[in-house]
Amino acid sequence: MENRDTHVYAAVPPSPVLGEGEVLVATELVGPGRERVSCPAAPLVRGVLERAGRPVRTGPAELVSPAQDSAFQVAVDRLPSDDGRRIAVAAGAMDSEGRSPLAAACAAADAWVGVAGPRTVLLASPRSWCAGVERAVEVVERLLEEPGRRGRPLFVRKQIVHNTHVVRGLERRGVVFVEELDEVPEGATVVFSAHGVSPAVREEARGRGLEAVDATCPLVTKVHAEARRFSARGDTVVLIGHDGHEEVEGTLGEAPEHSVLVQSPSDVRDVEVPDPDRVTYLTQTTLAADETAEAVDALRARFPRLKEPPSDDICYATTNRQNALEAIVPGAGLVLVIGSANSSNSLRLVERTRRAGTAAHLIGDATGIRPGWLAGVATVALTAGASAPQALVDEVIRALSGLGPVTVQEHSTAVENVRFAPPKEVRTP
Ligand code: SF4
């Protein structure tokens, strides 16, 4: 390829020599005079290689003399701009079958060079962490930092929030995530996640002598209280939500004998209730507003005296993120939503955009972006679900800037100043 220079580089210490079949995706190149050239698109290249099953490492690469030991080949792809961006990959030794990984590494780099160019990023606001997620993460962090607890394991039942980066970050700090309470030793401290738990789980924790700290979002707690109140007055509670989601399991657990789950309008015809005049609906907090309205309409058609919750159960953060994205979608050729695959509010953002006819993809981070998505796309709309940290948004913008100049235009449709006080167990006296 005419825009590629091949030089010999070595990984900058302490990064060791590349292993068999391994590829280095350079995050920066260090020249002979110690000058540094940035390679912001490294996560994009890395994603292509990882999906192809290549062992990949990222880090700086330094120009060395070809005669020097521990050197390996680097292909430097010059981008069409003159402002110093590079996409650079290096290949280690042949694999056990005598194949050099250089061809695969160069193909991954070329895929991104092929879609390089200037872009506009329309940034939705509000996006990223909501008050409930901030509070849940803060609960765990405060417990980790409590002097009396240092050195003792801290357990969290389920993912504290639905984001793998957040969970891995806390795991690195010593938090142990478990699926069920029987994995927690008696007497230990366990945190309940932001999605809430059923009374049966609380009872199990008490029975096992666990110190339970509840990080349930107060807006989920509100729905639990409604389920208790409406079932206690003799209503059947129809919960609109997604089967298997932890929040739904927790809410249904408040009144299992008097609750029915409805996932879509078509489920409504199968709903059996003892008294059609005594039915109240509630919803999961992170649903798409339009789909939920369809389910409510179907319920009302079957149960004309259907009662509703006193205030919307779909939370402010979910609604704000949907409205913010909707406002920028018309100007974009592609929508990227940052969030993990089990994040309900993030999935709803993707689904709503697709229903409106625009290409949309959920990405865990910048490595999830595919070159083909950007072909011919000059404007990208970007947002992040309520459990995805802002740092991942910054990483995606930076990665796109490795393909050409990026102009960021932030569009705000609401100002969020919601804060939830932490539970009493972690309040500073
Ligand atoms: Fe609470 Fe809504 Fe955030 Fe869920 S998305 S944690 S319900 S504020």
Side-chain angles (χ1 to χ4, degrees), residues 124-264:
S125 175
R127 61 177 178 280
S128 292
W129 281 11
C130 60
V133 166
E134 271 178 22
R135 176 180 183 268
V137 174
E138 189 183 341
V139 166
V140 178
E141 289 182 333
R142 284 199 188 194
L143 287 170
L144 279 175
E145 285 158 17
E146 263 183 26
R149 291 182 194 274
R150 291 229 172 97
R152 282 165 51 200
L154 176 63
F155 295 85
V156 176
R157 182 184 178 275
K158 310 280 186 189
Q159 293 190 344
I160 184 71
V161 298
H162 283 160
N163 188 270
T164 47
H165 287 269
V166 173
V167 169
R168 274 192 226 125
L170 290 171
E171 275 176 339
R172 282 194 290 273
R173 295 171 63 183
V175 175
V176 181
F177 288 89
V178 296
E179 280 303 300
E180 294 303 340
L181 292 184
D182 59 11
E183 299 165 60
V184 182
E186 283 190 20
T189 303
V190 64
V191 179
F192 296 146
S193 78
H195 309 100
V197 294
S198 68
V201 173
R202 289 180 201 283
E203 188 49 46
E204 185 186 353
R206 267 193 296 276
R208 302 203 50 233
L210 304 178
E211 183 199 12
V213 181
D214 190 359
T216 304
C217 174
L219 299 183
V220 175
T221 303
K222 162 196 169 271
V223 184
H224 281 232
E226 290 167 348
R228 287 195 298 273
R229 197 162 77 242
F230 299 137
S231 59
R233 76 182 179 196
D235 288 10
T236 299
V237 171
V238 176
L239 178 65
I240 304 170
H242 293 279
D243 196 13
H245 191 281
E246 285 139 54
E247 181 187 323
V248 165
E249 287 174 356
T251 308
L252 289 176
E254 289 290 350
E257 309 294 320
H258 305 282
S259 302
V260 180
L261 178 65
V262 156
Q263 298 195 74
S264 67

Side-chain angles (χ1 to χ4, degrees), residues 403-416:
L403 303 175
V406 165
T407 306
V408 178
Q409 294 175 3
E410 186 167 23
H411 292 256
S412 177
T413 51
V415 175
E416 290 184 349

Side-chain angles (χ1 to χ4, degrees), residues 269-420:
R269 65 171 173 263
D270 300 325
V271 172
E272 299 288 344
V273 298
D275 183 349
D277 288 340
R278 302 190 73 99
V279 180
T280 299
Y281 81 85
L282 303 177
T283 78
Q284 192 178 334
T285 55
T286 48
L287 299 183
D290 50 353
E291 271 192 313
T292 307
E294 287 171 25
V296 172
D297 287 347
L299 281 169
R300 196 156 274 131
R302 260 209 76 190
F303 309 112
R305 300 192 62 192
L306 179 76
K307 292 188 243 7
E308 58 191 18
S311 61
D312 202 344
D313 287 337
I314 299 177
C315 77
Y316 79 96
T318 299
T319 307
N320 284 350
R321 279 149 192 72
Q322 288 173 10
N323 292 343
L325 182 57
E326 204 168 85
I328 57 172
V329 163
L334 169 73
V335 172
L336 296 177
V337 177
I338 303 172
S340 291
N342 58 348
S343 164
S344 171
N345 77 91
S346 306
L347 288 166
R348 305 292 85 80
L349 290 169
V350 172
E351 289 169 2
R352 269 172 65 102
T353 310
R354 286 182 180 164
R355 277 202 297 276
T358 302
H361 301 282
L362 182 73
I363 52 170
D365 54 36
T367 64
I369 305 173
R370 317 274 171 128
W373 298 348
L374 291 178
V377 171
T379 304
V380 177
L382 180 63
T383 189
S387 44
Q390 171 62 30
L392 297 177
V393 177
D394 298 337
E395 185 212 35
V396 166
I397 293 172
R398 184 174 146 72
L400 293 175
S401 79
L403 303 175
V406 165
T407 306
V408 178
Q409 294 175 3
E410 186 167 23
H411 292 256
S412 177
T413 51
V415 175
E416 290 184 349
N417 45 23
V418 180
R419 280 280 300 162
F420 296 132

